[in-house]
C-alpha cells in the first residue's frame, strides 16, 4: 500500500489523499480482545472516498464520491465489505477518467458558457439510513440511493414513494417508540422552501408539510424533541446569481450574513405545521445532539456551535491534506419556549472542541443523560489537526469520560450499539485510522468505560478514508 506523506503533512492526510479501495466481503481479523457475544447487527459508515481524478483535486471535502463500509456481526465473527455508491455521476466520471459535473465546491469544467446543462453530481457521501429491506446512502442535495443491506451493491435512486424529485437530507430522525422517520429537504426558487417528511418504518413517505424560508439558507440538520421538530436556521445565505451563471460553485456562493440572526423554526410533528418561528443572535451549527421536552413545556436542545461559517473553509482545506483554519466548535445547551417564541437560556456546557454528537438511539427525542462525541485531544493543534479521540459527556454531572486512542490515531463519529442479550449494556463503535501504520481498524468500547482499552479491535483490509456519518442496525431489524 502506498504511503502518501511529506514532512509537512499531518498523519491524517494519508486517509484523505488515498482514494478508497473497494473490497469484497471478508472475515475480519481480531487484532486484540474479543467481539462481545451480544454485539449482533451491522455497522455502516459513509464518507467521501475519492478526492482526485485525472490529476485534478476536488474543490471541497464534500465533493468526494461516496463509499460505504459495512461490518456485519454474527456468530461467525465480523464480516467487512466496502463499496462505492454507483451513482450516475460516479459511473460517468469513472469511465471518462476525469471530473465532468458540478458539485458542492466545484463548477463543471470548461468555460462558463460550456457549463450549462451538465447538471450536479449526487455524491451520496454523507450518511446512511438502514431500512428493513435496504440501506439508503444519503446526500442532502438530492434523492437517496438504495443499496443492498448485505453486499452494498447499488440498486439506484429511491424516491421513497413520494419525494417526486425533492431533496432528502442526510440527517433523518427515527422515533424509537413509533418507528416513524422524520426528515426534510430544501428547494430553491425565488426564496427557499422547507419540505418536511414523515415516513413509516419502511421509509415510505406518508405525510409532507412545507414552510417558506427567508432567502436561500443552508440547513443541514434538525432535532426531534417530543411533539416538536426543531430547526435552527443559521445566517448563511446562497447568492444565487453567480451560481446560476456558473461562475461560482454552491460553496463559493454561500455568504455569512450575521445581521440575519439564527432563526428558530418549530414544527408540530403530528400535523407538520408551523408552531412558531423567531430570530435570535447568530451562530452556525452543522449538527444537533439530542433534544427533548421538559415537564414545564420547554424544550432542551443540544447543538455543536460555531461562532461563524469559517468551518466551511476548514472543511474545504481537509481535502488538500492540510488545514490552517481553526473553526472550533463546542457543545451548547439551548432551552426554549416553543410556543412563546423565546429562548429561556443558552449556555456552553463543554468547552473542548468537538463534533458529531450522538446518543443512545432508544433516547432520540426523549430525555437523555449521556452524549457521545468526537473531540480534539487535550493538547491538539486545533488549526492543523483533526479529532483525535472520542468521549462521553454526562449532562447531569458535567463529567467527561475520554478515550485514549494514542497519538496519530483518528476516530470516526462514535456510534452506539445496544447489546442484543443485555439491553442495559451498550457498545461504542468507531472506525479508527492509524496514521502511524497507515491502516484502519474498527474499535469497540464499553459505552460506560470509554477510558478503558477497547474490548475489541478489528483489522480492516484497506484504509477507509475519513468520512462523516454512519449508523448501527441491530440484528433484529435486518
Amino acid at each position: 500500500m502506498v504511503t502518501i506523506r511529506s514532512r509537512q503533512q499531518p498523519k491524517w492526510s494519508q486517509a484523505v489523499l488515498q482514494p478508497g479501495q473497494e473490497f469484497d466481503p471478508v472475515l475480519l481479523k481480531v487484532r486484540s480482545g474479543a467481539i462481545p457475544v451480544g454485539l449482533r447487527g451491522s455497522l455502516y459508515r459513509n464518507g467521501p472516498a475519492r478526492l482526485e481524478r485525472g490529476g485534478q483535486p476536488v474543490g471541497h471535502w464534500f465533493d468526494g464520491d461516496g463509499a460505504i463500509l459495512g461490518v456485519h456481526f454474527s456468530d461467525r465473527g465480523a464480516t467487512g465489505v466496502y463499496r462505492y455508491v454507483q451513482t450516475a455521476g460516479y459511473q460517468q466520471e469513472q469511465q471518462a477518467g476525469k471530473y465532468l459535473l458540478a458539485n458542492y465546491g466545484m463548477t463543471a469544467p470548461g468555460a462558463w458558457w460550456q457549463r450549462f446543462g451538465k447538471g450536479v453530481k449526487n455524491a451520496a457521501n454523507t450518511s446512511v439510513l438502514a431500512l428493513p429491506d435496504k440501506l439508503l446512502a444519503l446526500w442532502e442535495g438530492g434523492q437517496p440511493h438504495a443499496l443492498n443491506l448485505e453486499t452494498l451493491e447499488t440498486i439506484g435512486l429511491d424516491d421513497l414513494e413520494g419525494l417526486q424529485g425533492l431533496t432528502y437530507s442526510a440527517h433523518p430522525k427515527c422515533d424509537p417508540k413509533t418507528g416513524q422517520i422524520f426528515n426534510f429537504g430544501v428547494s430553491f426558487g425565488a426564496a427557499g422552501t422547507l419540505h418536511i417528511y414523515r415516513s413509516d418504518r419502511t421509509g415510505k413517505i406518508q405525510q409532507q408539510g412545507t414552510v417558506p424560508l427567508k432567502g436561500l439558507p443552508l440547513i443541514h440538520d434538525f432535532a426531534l424533541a417530543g411533539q416538536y421538530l426543531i430547526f435552527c436556521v443559521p445566517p448563511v445565505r446562497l447568492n444565487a446569481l453567480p451560481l446560476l451563471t456558473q461562475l461560482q460553485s454552491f460553496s463559493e456562493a454561500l455568504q455569512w450574513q450575521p445581521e440575519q440572526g439564527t432563526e428558530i423554526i418549530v414544527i408540530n410533528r403530528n400535523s407538520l405545521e408551523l408552531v412558531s418561528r423567531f430570530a435570535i443572535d447568530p451562530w452556525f451549527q452543522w449538527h444537533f445532539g439530542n433534544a427533548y421536552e421538559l415537564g414545564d413545556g420547554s424544550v432542551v436542545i443540544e447543538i455543536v456551535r460555531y461562532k461563524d461559517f469559517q468551518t466551511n473553509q476548514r472543511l474545504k482545506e481537509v481535502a488538500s491534506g492540510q488545514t490552517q483554519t481553526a473553526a472550533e466548535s463546542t457543545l451548547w445547551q439551548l432551552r426554549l419556549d416553543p410556543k412563546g417564541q423565546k429562548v429561556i437560556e443558552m449556555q456552553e456546557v463543554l468547552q473542548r472542541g468537538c463534533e458529531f454528537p450522538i446518543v443512545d438511539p432508544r433516547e432520540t427525542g426523549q430525555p437523555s443523560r449521556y452524549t457521545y462525541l468526537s473531540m480534539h485531544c487535550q493538547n491538539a493543534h486545533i488549526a492543523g489537526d483533526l479529532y483525535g479521540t472520542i468521549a462521553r459527556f454526562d449532562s447531569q454531572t458535567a463529567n467527561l469520560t475520554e478515550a485514549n486512542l494514542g497519538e496519530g490515531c483518528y476516530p470516526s463519529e462514535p456510534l452506539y450499539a445496544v447489546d442484543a442479550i443485555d439491553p442495559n449494556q451498550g457498545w461504542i463503535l468507531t472506525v479508527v485510522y492509524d496514521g502511524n501504520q497507515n491502516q484502519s481498524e474498527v474499535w469497540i468500547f464499553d459505552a460506560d468505560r470509554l477510558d478503558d482499552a477497547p474490548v475489541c479491535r478489528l483489522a480492516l483490509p484497506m484504509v477507509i478514508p475519513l468520512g462523516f456519518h454512519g449508523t448501527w442496525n441491530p440484528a433484529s431489524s435486518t
Side-chain angles (χ1 to χ4, degrees), residues 3 90 103 116 165 324 332 379 383 414:
T3 297
Y90 174 84
N103 209 321
F116 292 94
Q324 297 83 38
W332 287 64
N379 299 315

Side-chain angles (χ1 to χ4, degrees), residues 5-70:
R5 188 172 82 231
S6 72
R7 294 181 63 183
Q8 292 75 36
Q9 289 174 321
K11 291 180 179 179
W12 59 259
S13 67
Q14 302 171 91
V16 295
L17 298 180
Q18 298 176 94
Q21 299 182 52
E22 294 182 319
F23 54 84
D24 293 330
V26 59
L27 197 63
L28 302 182
K29 179 182 177 181
V30 175
R31 184 150 285 167
S32 68
I35 299 172
V37 175
L39 187 64
R40 294 294 181 266
S42 295
L43 165 70
Y44 299 104
R45 290 214 52 85
N46 195 354
R50 188 180 188 98
L51 304 178
E52 175 274 333
R53 276 195 187 280
Q56 179 191 358
V58 295
H60 195 286
W61 195 16
F62 292 177
D63 296 331
D65 292 299
I68 312 294
L69 170 69

Side-chain angles (χ1 to χ4, degrees), residues 62-370:
F62 292 177
D63 296 331
D65 292 299
I68 312 294
L69 170 69
V71 182
H72 308 302
F73 293 87
S74 68
D75 293 341
R76 292 182 57 243
T79 301
V81 58
Y82 189 58
R83 292 276 182 264
Y84 279 92
V85 184
Q86 295 294 313
T87 69
Y90 174 84
Q91 292 178 329
Q92 186 180 354
E93 292 177 340
Q94 180 81 345
Q95 183 176 4
K98 60 183 179 180
Y99 290 119
L100 302 171
L101 303 172
N103 209 321
Y104 177 84
M106 302 171 68
T107 57
W112 68 268
W113 60 86
Q114 299 173 314
R115 300 171 186 168
F116 292 94
K118 290 189 175 181
V120 177
K121 181 169 65 175
N122 182 330
N125 67 4
T126 311
S127 192
V128 285
L129 174 62
L131 299 174
D133 62 346
K134 57 194 169 186
L135 181 72
L136 298 183
L138 304 176
W139 180 74
E140 64 198 43
Q143 294 187 14
H145 283 77
L147 284 70
N148 182 286
L149 283 162
E150 290 295 320
T151 66
L152 304 185
E153 293 176 356
T154 302
I155 300 168
L157 284 171
D158 195 323
D159 78 346
L160 305 177
E161 300 186 41
L163 284 177
Q164 297 181 334
L166 294 174
T167 63
Y168 192 81
S169 101
H171 287 285
K173 299 294 183 289
C174 304
D175 188 305
K177 294 184 176 181
T178 67
Q180 293 176 324
I181 302 169
F182 296 90
N183 206 354
F184 72 96
V186 176
S187 63
F188 294 139
T193 300
L194 178 65
H195 302 269
I196 307 155
Y197 318 117
R198 179 178 60 82
S199 302
D200 63 18
R201 65 178 65 247
T202 71
K204 180 182 178 180
I205 293 177
Q206 297 182 317
Q207 185 181 3
Q208 298 192 40
T210 60
V211 174
L213 296 170
K214 298 175 181 178
L216 305 174
L218 176 66
I219 307 176
H220 182 71
D221 194 5
F222 74 111
L224 168 62
Q227 63 179 314
Y228 302 109
L229 309 177
I230 310 290
F231 294 83
C232 297
V233 184
V236 175
R237 297 294 183 269
L238 179 70
N239 183 4
L241 183 60
L243 180 65
L244 293 173
T245 56
Q246 305 291 304
L247 295 176
Q248 288 185 334
S249 68
F250 188 92
S251 175
E252 292 167 329
L254 292 171
Q255 299 176 341
W256 174 247
Q257 300 178 357
E259 68 278 4
Q260 303 276 356
T262 288
E263 185 180 29
I264 310 295
I265 297 178
V266 182
I267 304 295
N268 182 295
R269 63 169 280 170
N270 296 311
S271 66
L272 301 189
E273 294 178 349
L274 181 69
V275 174
S276 64
R277 64 190 303 170
F278 56 99
I280 58 177
D281 291 341
W283 78 81
F284 181 80
Q285 89 283 321
W286 292 111
H287 302 119
F288 292 84
N290 202 14
Y292 48 89
E293 287 184 87
L294 296 178
D296 61 3
S298 64
V299 170
V300 173
I301 309 169
E302 286 182 337
I303 60 170
V304 174
R305 172 174 163 159
Y306 299 81
K307 67 178 182 179
D308 54 32
F309 195 47
Q310 280 294 98
T311 171
N312 193 50
Q313 174 61 30
R314 176 176 174 81
L315 292 168
K316 175 182 178 180
E317 293 167 2
V318 170
S320 72
Q322 292 182 320
T323 56
Q324 297 83 38
T325 304
E328 187 171 4
S329 55
T330 55
L331 187 65
W332 287 64
Q333 192 176 86
L334 167 69
R335 189 161 71 94
L336 60 87
D337 180 347
K339 297 180 179 178
Q341 303 187 59
K342 65 178 181 180
V343 171
I344 300 170
E345 62 179 333
M346 187 169 187
Q347 60 178 335
E348 184 181 47
V349 294
L350 182 59
Q351 295 183 346
R352 287 272 297 280
C354 60
E355 252 295 0
F356 304 129
I358 65 104
V359 297
D360 180 339
R362 296 172 297 182
E363 299 174 340
T364 300
Q366 305 297 323
S368 59
R369 177 175 178 177
Y370 301 115

